[in-house]
Amino acid sequence: MSAYEQLIKSGNKFFLVFEDMTNKVMTSKYNPLYYHGALPQFYLWVLFLSGLLLFAYYIPTVDNAYISKGIINAWTSVEYINDKIPFGAVVRGIHRYAGDAMVITILLHALRVWFTDRYRQYRWLQWFSGIVLLVMVLFIGQTGYYLVWDERSLALTRMTVYAFEGIPFIGPTLKELFLNGDTISNYTMANFLFIHIGLSFSLLFGLWIHYVRMTRPVMTPPPAINYVLMALVLAVVFMFPITSGKIATLNGTPTGFEMDWFFLAPYALLNAVPLGAYWLIVIAITVALCLLPMPWSFLIKEKPVDAAEVVLSKCVGCNLCYLDCPYQAIEMVPAPAGSRFKLLATVLPYRCSGCGVCVGACAFDAIDLPDLLDSAVDAQVKQIVEAK
Ligand code: HEM
Ligand code: SF4
Ligand code: SF4
């Protein structure tokens, strides 16, 4: 067994022990670990709703020249939401901490599918789209921090511009697209708001790709778990209320800021290593994660999947295997001319997991796994029953 396989085995063992302990406290019906994919999805809905409420009062401008006369900009509008709107501080806190919770639950979900070996072969698209979703979520969270327009926002914006400037050829264009011009201006803030909201909605498209090959993805935890998830966020909101830093001034030089490790860790890296090394590390980690599901034989010995096969002479086109297949690996195609039936089942081998669900679904003995014929399964079951 390779060191990699050993790591996966230990990771899985750790999760199983943890799962067992959670089952004892919460019972298997309400164990949140059995809904690890649904947890970030729940927090996404919370973020959409709380974000909508914040958006109603947010003003995306950086111009603070008239602040003494009470003219508002991004920072003062956030302060207004926080101090003047009933429950504004709570909604702001929910939005901030639900974002952190989403990142934590995404990492939990990714580790769970990784350690249970549910990320390779016919599941590569879910893994790959998951990495894209994670990168998007991190960037959306970072743009959220720019929107407050306190000293931290200014420092982060300048660090991002510095990071873009280090990219050969496309760096200056990226910088201009990011700032919506040459320098930080009101247009920049409108751009940040557009990126923050636009990318958040694009997550829905990313999630559609994530789910498209799963017949019945578990997307919602039971209500009792939702209440607990929400109560946890509220507890943190009241224990650690959100405050902004000092208002950003364009000619000021912020010296440091409070860290949110879930979203801002890349900035800590940017601060710690030279610019070239920063991009190398970020790109290397992202590419390595995207390529993890490839059949790397030095990492893991991959057993080829024996895809199911349809016995066309027996298929009546009843659709049952198509409806039951968990991985959308069966298509119903028009039957050849002269057939008594309109449609026949066909298996897409690259999507098939060899799980055998379709074999059980077919009442006509018309679909088999190549190395496990229906008759052989019947014989094995009979043998076991007779031996008892
Ligand atoms: C916005 C963030 C994400 C959400 C809302 C999400 C949601 C989900 C849901 C609801 C499922 C179905 C789970 C089930 O039916 O048991 C799922 C499956 C899956 N997800 Fe995610 N996911 C996200 C990010 C990720 C990430 C970052 C990865 C890994 C890099 C990932 C990898 C996978 C894989 C491999 C599966 C298939 C697992 C299986 O077939 O058992 N997802 N996801
Ligand atoms: S064995 Fe059958 S049910 Fe399972 S993935 Fe393949 S086609 Fe779908
Ligand atoms: S369940 Fe059997 S008979 Fe029905 S479409 Fe599938 S293979 Fe054909």
Side-chain angles (χ1 to χ4, degrees):
M1 192 184 283
S2 70
Y4 177 78
E5 284 168 310
Q6 200 74 35
L7 168 83
I8 301 291
K9 209 173 155 200
S10 316
N12 196 19
K13 220 170 171 179
F14 169 78
F15 262 105
L16 287 178
V17 171
F18 193 41
E19 243 173 52
D20 246 17
M21 278 163 36
T22 320
N23 273 341
K24 288 199 175 88
V25 182
M26 311 186 78
T27 75
S28 59
K29 188 174 171 196
Y30 296 110
N31 186 340
L33 295 171
Y34 293 147
Y35 301 92
H36 50 86
L39 304 181
Q41 180 74 68
F42 170 77
Y43 282 124
L44 183 64
W45 299 136
V46 174
L47 284 164
F48 273 134
L49 195 62
S50 52
L52 192 72
L53 296 173
L54 295 176
F55 179 61
Y57 293 94
Y58 179 73
I59 310 234
T61 62
V62 298
D63 198 347
N64 56 8
Y66 307 105
I67 212 104
S68 57
K69 293 183 192 157
I71 288 180
I72 49 175
N73 71 352
W75 186 85
T76 51
S77 71
V78 172
E79 288 297 282
Y80 182 77
I81 293 169
N82 215 64
D83 301 339
K84 301 279 181 346
I85 304 281
F87 301 107
V90 177
V91 174
R92 184 181 175 201
I94 289 175
H95 196 67
R96 167 82 64 89
Y97 290 125
D100 287 340
M102 188 170 174
V103 176
I104 297 172
T105 49
I106 290 177
L107 294 179
L108 177 86
H109 169 56
L111 281 177
R112 190 76 189 102
V113 291
W114 186 37
F115 287 152
T116 43
D117 204 16
R118 284 152 58 190
Y119 67 98
R120 292 179 296 124
Q121 296 173 327
Y122 50 95
R123 285 177 172 114
W124 72 268
L125 184 66
Q126 281 100 311
W127 179 267
F128 180 75
S129 57
I131 297 293
V132 175
L133 284 168
L134 178 60
V135 171
M136 284 170 75
V137 167
L138 292 180
F139 189 53
I140 292 167
Q142 288 161 8
T143 53
Y145 277 104
Y146 312 152
L147 290 176
V148 180
W149 206 236
D150 56 5
E151 287 191 330
R152 171 165 53 190
S153 314
L154 181 61
L156 294 177
T157 305
R158 285 186 179 152
M159 286 173 88
T160 312
V161 168
Y162 162 72
F164 281 149
E165 279 174 341
I167 303 177
F169 308 114
I170 54 165
T173 316
L174 284 178
K175 175 192 156 186
E176 206 161 314
L177 282 174
F178 179 69
L179 292 180
N180 209 358
D182 277 348
T183 50
I184 299 172
S185 68
N186 286 336
Y187 298 125
T188 308
M189 208 40 106
N191 201 32
F192 288 167
L193 185 63
F194 174 73
I195 297 174
H196 189 68
I197 297 180
L199 264 190
S200 299
F201 279 103
S202 319
L203 281 179
L204 296 178
F205 176 69
L207 281 168
W208 174 70
I209 306 249
H210 199 61
Y211 298 148
V212 76
R213 284 204 187 164
M214 291 184 267
T215 307
R216 280 171 283 275
V218 180
M219 285 190 273
T220 34
I225 294 184
N226 291 342
Y227 301 142
V228 174
L229 295 177
M230 203 57 225
L232 285 175
V233 168
L234 279 172
V236 181
V237 169
F238 286 105
M239 279 192 299
F240 306 101
I242 302 290
T243 49
S244 304
K246 280 195 220 139
I247 186 168
T249 45
L250 285 179
N251 41 12
T253 316
T255 45
F257 53 78
E258 213 183 295
M259 197 55 185
D260 175 341
W261 286 99
F262 298 113
F263 285 109
L264 305 181
Y267 289 95
L269 180 68
L270 184 60
N271 202 31
V273 297
L275 190 52
Y278 168 79
W279 279 118
L280 220 70
I281 295 171
V282 168
I283 294 171
I285 293 178
T286 315
V287 171
L289 284 175
C290 285
L291 295 183
L292 198 64
M294 299 288 280
W296 303 112
S297 52
F298 65 93
L299 281 182
I300 202 158
K301 277 165 216 70
E302 209 160 71
K303 241 179 76 199
V305 171
D306 289 325
E309 283 168 7
V310 177
V311 184
L312 288 175
S313 56
K314 294 186 185 173
C315 179
V316 299
C318 69
N319 224 10
L320 290 177
C321 56
Y322 165 81
L323 292 176
D324 270 9
C325 172
Y327 296 107
Q328 315 253 310
I330 296 182
E331 271 184 356
M332 299 306 296
V333 294
S339 168
R340 282 194 296 147
F341 309 105
K342 274 195 188 148
L343 298 170
L344 293 179
T346 176
V347 176
L348 305 172
Y350 60 94
R351 289 192 188 177
C352 177
S353 70
C355 66
V357 167
C358 53
V359 180
C362 181
F364 300 91
D365 203 8
I367 194 161
D368 278 317
L369 290 171
D371 287 339
L372 197 62
L373 297 178
D374 235 13
S375 48
V377 175
D378 284 351
Q380 275 182 28
V381 172
K382 257 189 208 148
Q383 213 178 357
I384 294 168
V385 172
E386 278 164 12
K388 291 254 166 180

